[in-house]
Amino acid sequence: MFDFSLSSLLHLLYGTLLIRTYAQSIDSADSVSGIGLMGNGKSLGVVEKGHVPLDVEGYPVAPPELELEQVHIYVRHGERSPVGVRMSEPPANIPEHWLFCNTARQLRAAVTSASAEEGLNLPFVGAPGGPAEEELRTRRVVERRDGSAVVGECLLGELTDIGRESTYNFGSSLRKLYIDRLKFLPDVVKSNDEVYLRSTNMPRTIESLQQITHGLYPMTKHAKDYTPFVRIRNGKDENLFGNTFSCKRLEILQIGFAHAAAAAWNTTLEPLDKKISKYIGGNPVRLDGKPRASGILDTIRAANAHGVKVPSEFHEKGVLDIIEKAVVTEWFADRTEEVRRLGMGPLLSDLSRKMQSKAEKGDADPTRILIHSTHDTCLAGLSSTLDIFDDRWPAFTAAITFELFKKRQAPAQPRSPWQSVLSVFGRSSDSTEHYVRVRYQNQNKVLPVCAEEGKHLPGSPEFCTLAAFRERVKELTPDDWDAECAYTPVNKQKEREEIQAAAALVIAKPDQPPP
């Protein structure tokens, strides 16, 4: 969350690009006792958990007639530093510089030994006769405006040592659940066909995925020649969040909803001014204020997760709750069918297609688990689109999981003459039933679109038939992405006013008085 206009904010998500170096932490979890990723190994005095641990013991096993076939996981990155400097001046005194990033400061990078000029005439690195690949060791430090540098300081929005610990724990819990308890995944990973790993092109999500992968399959559980692939898409092709960079129509719609949310909620936030304004330069607390209410929430949540002291008013009953409700409305109340199609439709379409492929191919499709490291906007967007959102800002390492099950086949019966005839023509009367279970924040979620009889497993409404799930996803899939995303303004001001007016009709209004 940033303290800029929403339009600028939506674009900034694409402005942070990973330096094109394959780097890894030297101080890996293999080299320390346990996982040992809490800064310098000492307790940081965290007083409030900022993440949601995966509940292995509380996981409800499916009915015995169902067999797990594939798991799709979308997980928010681990704890990070705030994405902007806010409330660093007295009397708030929240630190401007966060010293929680010691683990990933010593790096090994793949480099070529050929000079830039020589490299122009050589094949790519690793090709026969091409530049030799070598290893460069570096130590990364954050340089401040005055030229000073402190070891262990975090960049804005960087995954911290605590975030590395929580994401490692998430991966370790995946291992305990899907390998040790359910015996679903192999003990040793042999191929990238078995495990699918994907991240957005942001350092904190990539590093979170590396930690998760290390927890799920530590180096001792890799086959000899296995090196995990971390898949990353170009910005124009990204669908792990609503892609306003490629879809201008979606950007305009979201801006309209943000304006409508400010109009609906700013009055409700006014009573907080007497408690909070002194900490934000005397400015009022508003969705579109300076800093934005979303920025205030971001800084306080990050501080709480790292044991950083915040003003006592933020711990008073109802203060953060009302800010969170307003911010959630600003970001996620756009529950129109058009926003759903343009926002999460492409991602759900990918998910549905992969599940259908697994259902059709069975063991011929070796992919059993797909892990996507992403952002709060993805989790809230998916759950909102499927009408299972809890209207709370997703915590660090919160996850939404889609599990594909097939109904176990009864012992084979002798074929009838009619079945034999059908098989000659390549047709069969056999059909395996498949079901999808969605879990969010460690809870089974019943999809409203699967509530009708015949659209879920009898007696277990949380198991939606794959057919019913795919039917809904088809409705959410843009027929022509480029055409639906196109936006050619004629009268920009008038169009924005019309969009804001339409948004005001569906946006959630405050339902309780502020503290």
Side-chain angles (χ1 to χ4, degrees):
M1 293 171 282
F2 302 86
D3 298 329
F4 303 100
S5 70
L6 190 69
S7 177
S8 300
L9 184 151
L10 293 169
H11 285 297
L12 274 173
L13 190 54
Y14 299 90
T16 304
L17 299 176
L18 181 68
I19 297 174
R20 303 188 65 179
T21 299
Y22 292 97
Q24 67 186 79
S25 169
I26 287 178
D27 299 336
S28 69
D30 286 333
S31 64
V32 291
S33 174
I35 50 178
L37 297 177
M38 296 281 285
N40 59 6
K42 299 179 181 179
S43 172
L44 294 177
V46 178
V47 296
E48 182 176 319
K49 273 188 178 179
H51 65 275
V52 178
L54 183 64
D55 185 2
V56 177
E57 296 302 322
Y59 174 88
V61 177
E65 66 267 28
L66 297 185
E67 179 182 349
L68 184 59
E69 281 211 305
Q70 195 173 70
V71 179
H72 297 247
I73 300 171
Y74 301 84
V75 55
R76 187 188 178 193
H77 55 77
E79 288 88 334
R80 56 157 172 76
S81 56
V83 296
V85 177
R86 313 178 189 94
M87 297 180 280
S88 61
E89 300 294 330
N93 295 316
I94 295 176
E96 176 182 356
H97 307 290
W98 286 51
L99 305 179
F100 297 100
C101 297
N102 293 287
T103 303
R105 284 298 181 253
Q106 297 186 59
L107 306 173
R108 291 193 298 258
V111 294
T112 176
S113 60
S115 68
E117 184 176 341
E118 293 169 335
L120 293 175
N121 301 314
L122 293 173
F124 60 86
V125 172
E133 184 177 292
E134 297 181 0
E135 182 178 280
L136 173 68
R137 287 175 174 261
T138 62
R139 186 172 182 85
R140 188 173 66 190
V141 295
V142 176
E143 182 177 86
R144 299 177 182 176
R145 190 181 297 110
D146 62 4
S148 63
V150 178
V151 174
E153 183 170 335
C154 305
L155 291 165
L156 294 175
E158 183 175 357
L159 186 72
T160 63
D161 298 334
I162 291 177
R164 289 176 179 277
E165 179 181 22
S166 65
T167 46
Y168 174 87
N169 284 341
F170 186 89
S172 180
S173 294
L174 288 178
R175 182 172 185 85
K176 292 175 183 176
L177 176 59
Y178 290 111
I179 297 177
D180 299 340
R181 182 179 174 190
L182 299 181
K183 314 298 181 186
F184 172 67
L185 296 176
D187 180 56
V188 175
V189 61
K190 299 177 181 178
S191 166
N192 281 289
D193 292 332
E194 297 173 336
V195 178
Y196 175 98
L197 305 170
R198 183 179 158 204
S199 171
T200 61
N201 191 22
M202 300 278 286
R204 60 178 173 267
T205 53
I206 295 171
E207 292 166 5
S208 291
L209 184 56
Q210 292 169 340
Q211 294 290 139
I212 292 170
T213 304
H214 189 56
L216 174 61
Y217 281 113
M219 294 293 290
T220 55
K221 297 298 182 179
H222 287 193
K224 181 180 178 181
D225 297 324
Y226 173 73
T227 299
F229 289 170
V230 174
R231 294 167 169 84
I232 301 171
R233 293 191 180 185
N234 283 312
K236 65 183 182 62
D237 302 320
E238 187 60 82
N239 63 8
L240 283 175
F241 44 75
N243 195 334
T244 55
F245 181 76
S246 294
C247 189
K248 294 303 177 184
R249 174 64 180 173
L250 178 61
E251 178 186 9
I252 293 299
L253 289 171
Q254 290 190 343
I255 291 173
F257 273 94
H259 289 322
W265 280 83
N266 276 350
T267 301
T268 302
L269 293 172
E270 284 181 9
L272 293 180
D273 292 348
K274 61 181 180 293
K275 296 182 179 183
I276 307 300
S277 287
K278 60 189 173 185
Y279 300 121
I280 54 175
N283 297 318
V285 181
R286 302 291 184 270
L287 285 178
D288 51 0
K290 185 174 179 61
R292 303 179 71 92
S294 57
I296 297 173
L297 182 66
D298 174 61
T299 295
I300 298 302
R301 286 283 171 84
N304 286 340
H306 293 85
V308 173
K309 185 178 180 180
V310 302
S312 60
E313 287 86 346
F314 288 106
H315 292 299
E316 293 181 11
K317 182 178 179 181
V319 171
L320 271 188
D321 287 342
I322 199 66
I323 294 176
E324 180 184 27
K325 286 182 179 181
V327 172
V328 166
T329 301
E330 176 190 17
W331 282 73
F332 306 125
D334 45 5
R335 299 179 183 180
T336 63
E337 196 73 355
E338 183 180 13
V339 170
R340 292 176 173 188
R341 284 170 61 87
L342 300 181
M344 290 290 105
L347 180 57
L348 285 168
S349 179
D350 271 3
L351 165 68
S352 176
R353 174 178 52 80
K354 290 173 182 176
M355 282 191 166
Q356 182 63 25
S357 175
K358 181 65 175 178
E360 293 174 354
K361 296 178 180 179
D363 292 339
D365 179 353
T367 306
R368 310 211 83 186
I369 188 168
L370 301 91
I371 305 174
H372 308 76
S373 181
T374 183
H375 306 268
D376 40 23
T377 51
C378 176
L379 271 62
L382 281 173
S383 56
S384 176
T385 297
L386 296 173
D387 292 314
I388 57 172
F389 188 38
D390 59 5
D391 293 317
R392 301 298 302 269
W393 196 271
F396 298 113
T397 73
I400 183 168
T401 302
F402 298 80
E403 297 174 313
L404 176 68
F405 295 86
K406 71 175 180 180
K407 199 165 187 179
R408 299 181 190 275
Q409 296 295 303
Q413 300 296 324
R415 282 190 170 193
S416 68
W418 177 243
Q419 288 174 317
S420 299
V421 171
L422 289 175
S423 65
V424 172
F425 294 96
R427 297 171 56 193
S428 173
S429 60
D430 296 333
S431 61
T432 302
E433 296 178 41
H434 286 84
Y435 297 88
V436 177
R437 178 170 70 175
V438 181
R439 289 177 55 76
Y440 180 52
Q441 309 272 47
N442 292 313
Q443 296 181 345
N444 291 341
K445 294 295 182 180
V446 177
L447 302 182
V449 296
C450 305
E452 294 181 16
E453 185 177 350
K455 292 188 175 183
H456 60 263
L457 183 70
S460 300
E462 70 272 22
F463 291 94
C464 178
T465 65
L466 177 60
F469 181 79
R470 282 177 52 79
E471 180 182 0
R472 176 56 179 147
V473 171
K474 184 177 180 181
E475 295 173 349
L476 292 166
T477 302
D479 298 320
D480 187 332
W481 167 261
D482 291 332
E484 291 189 38
C485 284
Y487 174 68
T488 305
V490 177
N491 185 329
K492 186 177 294 186
Q493 181 61 31
K494 181 180 179 182
E495 291 170 0
R496 287 187 174 180
E497 289 175 356
E498 290 175 349
I499 291 173
Q500 182 175 339
L505 298 176
V506 298
I507 207 162
K509 304 299 191 297
D511 56 4
Q512 67 178 43

